[in-house]
Amino acid sequence: MVWIAGAGGVGREALDVALAAGVPVSGFLDDRLAGGEVRGLPVRKPAELPPGAPYVIGIADPAARARLAGLLDAAGGHPVTLVHPRAIIAPETELAPGCLVMGGAHVSSSVRLGPHSQVHYNATVGHDARLGARVTVYPGANVSGAVHLDDDSTVGSGAVVLQGRTVGRAAFVGAAATVTRDVPPATTVIGTPARPGPH
Ligand SMILES: CC(C)(COP(=O)(O)OP(=O)(O)OC[C@H]1O[C@@H](n2cnc3c(N)ncnc32)[C@H](O)[C@@H]1OP(=O)(O)O)[C@@H](O)C(=O)NCCC(=O)NCCS
């Protein structure tokens, strides 16, 4: 029985992954919606996670994921990984605890996903890519071979990261961008070729 932290859009998508994978879900953990029900399941405050209980975080924002992981680990929880049965995880690929991989995602050979990373539906991650902690690859994005996505970075929907490039810590690749050069830490890039922006 797993608890899902976050009862918003990604949290409900995490529930869909759990249901498809045959993993029973105890409920959601969400401060805003605590005391109610979502999709027929109880919602508790994150601080009310039963000690030792397995959990996965269904929230896209890396900073929120970091905060919740710290809180839930301190409460004695342990992170588990959820993979949709229609996702492909190639041989020699390692998923750290707390990862979420949605339907139609293809994670290729010899890839490493750091803790609490997410690969959303129909996204691809090429061979030998290294994803740090709390990385998010949004729907339909294509991360090429040997790319390094550093901790807390995000690749937006339909974006492409060319082979071997690095997306720095907490950087954000906008939807549909094409990354042809390394992206510095904490920088948002948009467009083809991707350049810092929009602000
Ligand atoms: C890059 C991004 C983070 C910028 O967000 P923002 O700061 O809120 O930007 P705004 O929406 O205020 O847009 C500011 C300007 O940038 C442009 N812009 C925004 N995102 C863009 C993108 N991905 N590519 C090209 N231009 C973009 C807007 O058209 C706007 O231009 P204008 O001022 O000429 O009208 C965001 O647009 C984005 O791409 N997010 C990814 C979303 C995603 O993949 N979600 C998946 C959910 S399942």
Side-chain angles (χ1 to χ4, degrees), residues 6 9 16 23 31 38 55 61 69 72 75-76 89 91 107 110 117 135 142 144 151 156 170 179 181 186 191 196 199:
D16 297 342
V23 176
D31 273 322
V38 169
Y55 75 88
D61 177 42
L72 296 173
I89 308 288
V107 182
S110 310
S117 284
V135 166
N142 297 124
S144 304
D151 296 349
V179 172
R181 305 228 173 124
H199 304 291

Side-chain angles (χ1 to χ4, degrees), residues 17 28 37 40 84 88 95 103 129 135 142 150 152 163 167 173 176 187:
V17 173
F28 291 98
E37 282 195 353
H84 194 287
I88 295 172
L95 279 61
V135 166
N142 297 124
D150 207 345
D152 301 302
Q163 67 280 0
V167 176
V173 177
T187 303

Side-chain angles (χ1 to χ4, degrees), residues 120-121 138-139 156-157 172-176 188-191 198-199:
H120 288 216
Y121 41 90
Y138 271 138
S157 299
F172 196 110
V173 177
T188 297
V189 295
I190 56 171
H199 304 291

Side-chain angles (χ1 to χ4, degrees), residues 3 44 46-54 72-78:
W3 287 85
R44 291 189 185 178
E48 293 168 0
L49 178 75
L72 296 173
D73 291 348
H78 72 269

Side-chain angles (χ1 to χ4, degrees), residues 21-58:
V23 176
V25 174
S26 304
F28 291 98
L29 304 165
D30 191 313
D31 273 322
R32 276 179 318 121
L33 302 168
E37 282 195 353
V38 169
R39 297 268 297 270
L41 292 168
V43 186
R44 291 189 185 178
K45 290 179 188 287
E48 293 168 0
L49 178 75
Y55 75 88
V56 67
I57 302 180

